[in-house]
Amino acid sequence: MKSAVAADAPSGIGCARMSNAVQEKLVELAKASLYPNYAQPPIVIVRGRGCDLWDASGRQYLDLFAGIAVNTLGHAHPRLVSAIATQAASVMHVSNYYYNEPNLRLAARLCSLTGLARVLFSNSGTEAIEAMLKLARRHFYVRGEQDRYRVVAFDNAFHGRTMGSLAVTGQPKYRDGFGPLLGVTHVPFGDVSAVRAAMAPDVAAILVEPIQGEGGVIPAPPGFLAALRATADEHGALLLGDEVQTGVGRTGAFLGFQREGVVPDAVALAKAMGGGFPIGAVAAGEILIGALPPGSHGSTFAGNALASAAALAVLDVIEEEGLVEGARTKGEHLAQGLTEVASRHPTKIVTSRGVGLLQALVLAPDVAAAKVLGAVREEGVLLTLAGGALRFSPALTITLEELDRGLACVDRALAKC
Ligand SMILES: *Cc1c(COP(=O)(O)O)cnc(C)c1O
């Protein structure tokens, strides 16, 4: 079944009717064998190139979500493909019993890009958050302050799905049914006095996304991150940044925190890092180097040579093509376009907001968000929903022409809805 799809991977609408049966067969396979914890539409993606994706029926889509802010270089970027192929033909994995070269080069690059002292690798965003929480708790433990364990986090935040990450996530839809989730106080995002009120000698860290991603693309108010830095310092607590969605250039700076000139004690990265290859990391400041001595934390796959080579290729292309600066200029173009779309559909769109290439159209409360998403897809554009907003998180390699084409499709979809 699989090889049949690959062999006649459709290249145009000419073969659409014939391959519809292929797609239907695959969807049957999904229904019969996949655990039903997602709710996909009946579409099986078989191929990608740049910002274009094709499904098994031969239909082409413009990808403006990039696998949830992951496919930094779009799909099948030749540099990423060849870096992965070359590394795979050399050595993929040795475990952390030994060093591997791409991983060391990647760690050095991340230190210099984040301005932090050391890098601890993981395989995903949630694992990076777990590692960062363990880092914070054990930092105080080795200093004889084992009573400092609580984390101050924010309502509407998203930090991942494992138990520790879930505990700091501030949205009932992710938390319900998994309690008790301990050791966290949630306060309103952007509210400095609520943060101050939550501070006490048992607080180990404040954890924050510079822009709440899953929460609906909500940027921290100007000065908020700096106020958190000052508050953490005042109380001897750590400031931890979740840059899993914002990091690696998407906001027009390598880190979202850098836009505000604020340096956290540690940041978590993942999504965009490997350009589609799973990898995550925590970059930690000097102060945290003694927190997790040998044996206290680890992961079999973390920092493997294949994932590291992929991430290095992503960083190389980002640098050579000026994609961080590009995210700023393209982001301004996108923001402008979204403002215009919003103004043409005032009953459906409340506002547009975002930073760089992480933007959103905020839907009116009475608009059926899933319907809009479906209508946009019918126009040939793939987006995601985040906190009641239509989220745009395209590849950093996207062109202005593609953004304009996408905006026109979204505009048409909203008119039809
Ligand atoms: C996606 C995301 C995570 C979790 O990453 P996974 O790789 O899905 O585990 C954590 N924090 C933020 C801000 C995210 O967007």
Side-chain angles (χ1 to χ4, degrees):
M1 172 63 70
K2 246 185 198 159
S3 58
V5 172
D8 52 54
S11 55
I13 37 173
C15 49
R17 181 182 295 182
M18 199 177 66
S19 330
N20 253 339
V22 175
Q23 181 150 276
E24 277 162 27
K25 273 238 164 63
L26 288 168
V27 171
E28 273 170 37
L29 208 55
K31 300 280 184 216
S33 53
L34 268 188
Y35 195 88
N37 62 318
Y38 302 106
Q40 296 95 335
I43 291 171
V44 181
I45 300 296
V46 294
R47 191 162 67 88
R49 187 103 211 149
C51 292
D52 292 322
L53 283 172
W54 286 266
D55 73 12
S57 80
R59 174 128 203 230
Q60 183 178 344
Y61 303 91
L62 179 62
D63 176 11
L64 295 187
F65 83 113
I68 324 179
V70 165
N71 303 103
T72 318
L73 309 182
H75 301 280
H77 192 288
R79 289 284 296 280
L80 183 53
V81 171
S82 107
I84 290 172
T86 305
Q87 189 61 48
S90 171
V91 59
M92 289 193 225
H93 170 87
V94 293
S95 86
N96 290 293
Y97 272 92
Y98 300 94
Y99 297 122
N100 75 75
E101 184 179 351
N103 189 240
L104 304 179
R105 298 199 186 286
L106 177 60
R109 287 283 284 280
L110 290 174
C111 285
S112 101
L113 288 162
T114 60
L116 293 164
R118 294 289 190 278
V119 179
L120 172 65
F121 287 95
S122 68
N123 310 291
S124 67
T126 199
E127 287 169 84
I129 297 293
E130 293 291 334
M132 205 159 62
L133 295 172
K134 288 177 73 176
L135 202 56
R137 281 199 176 173
R138 214 167 181 292
H139 164 73
F140 289 107
Y141 171 84
V142 299
R143 289 161 38 137
E145 295 183 65
Q146 42 270 66
D147 293 338
R148 263 194 198 266
Y149 67 93
R150 197 156 53 93
V151 175
V152 172
F154 295 93
D155 294 340
N156 201 42
F158 181 80
H159 298 297
R161 310 284 200 135
T162 51
M163 291 306 268
S165 304
L166 193 59
V168 280
T169 287
Q171 300 188 58
K173 71 173 174 184
Y174 299 114
R175 297 167 60 91
D176 286 354
F178 296 107
L181 298 162
L182 300 174
V184 182
T185 303
H186 287 96
V187 299
F189 186 60
D191 185 341
V192 179
S193 53
V195 175
R196 289 188 184 284
M199 297 307 286
D202 67 345
V203 172
I206 302 171
L207 171 63
V208 67
E209 299 160 89
I211 300 162
Q212 288 191 331
E214 297 307 304
V217 187
I218 306 169
F224 184 58
L225 300 178
L228 294 183
R229 175 75 277 177
T231 306
D233 290 345
E234 238 168 77
H235 290 84
L238 300 166
L239 178 62
L240 308 177
D242 182 346
E243 295 257 11
V244 171
Q245 192 156 151
T246 48
V248 193
R250 181 159 295 280
T251 66
F254 188 76
L255 297 178
F257 268 80
Q258 290 168 341
R259 295 181 56 254
E260 299 270 318
V262 174
V263 183
D265 296 300
V267 293
L269 296 170
K271 291 193 164 88
M273 233 181 119
F277 202 99
I279 183 168
V282 176
E286 203 80 39
I287 187 183
L288 290 170
I289 292 176
L292 293 175
S296 62
H297 184 73
S299 158
T300 300
F301 291 126
N304 74 72
L306 192 55
S308 299
L312 269 177
V314 169
L315 293 181
D316 283 343
V317 176
I318 284 178
E319 195 174 301
E320 288 163 28
E321 298 186 5
L323 295 181
V324 178
E325 171 65 22
R328 185 156 56 230
T329 51
K330 292 171 193 176
E332 279 161 17
H333 186 84
L334 175 59
Q336 174 72 32
L338 291 175
T339 306
E340 286 163 23
V341 170
S343 71
R344 274 198 295 279
H345 304 279
T347 58
K348 292 166 192 157
I349 306 295
V350 177
T351 186
S352 58
R353 66 183 172 219
V355 176
L357 286 176
L358 185 58
Q359 301 274 345
L361 286 174
V362 183
L363 300 169
D366 59 332
V367 169
K371 279 223 173 96
V372 176
L373 193 66
V376 169
R377 190 170 58 240
E378 275 313 301
E379 292 295 327
V381 169
L382 301 185
L383 289 172
T384 50
L385 293 173
L390 266 186
R391 173 176 46 186
F392 295 72
S393 58
L396 304 191
T397 49
I398 195 156
T399 64
L400 296 184
E401 182 275 324
E402 285 168 324
L403 285 174
D404 288 343
R405 191 147 48 85
L407 285 162
C409 292
V410 171
D411 191 40
R412 268 202 303 281
L414 284 166
K416 283 184 189 168
C417 266

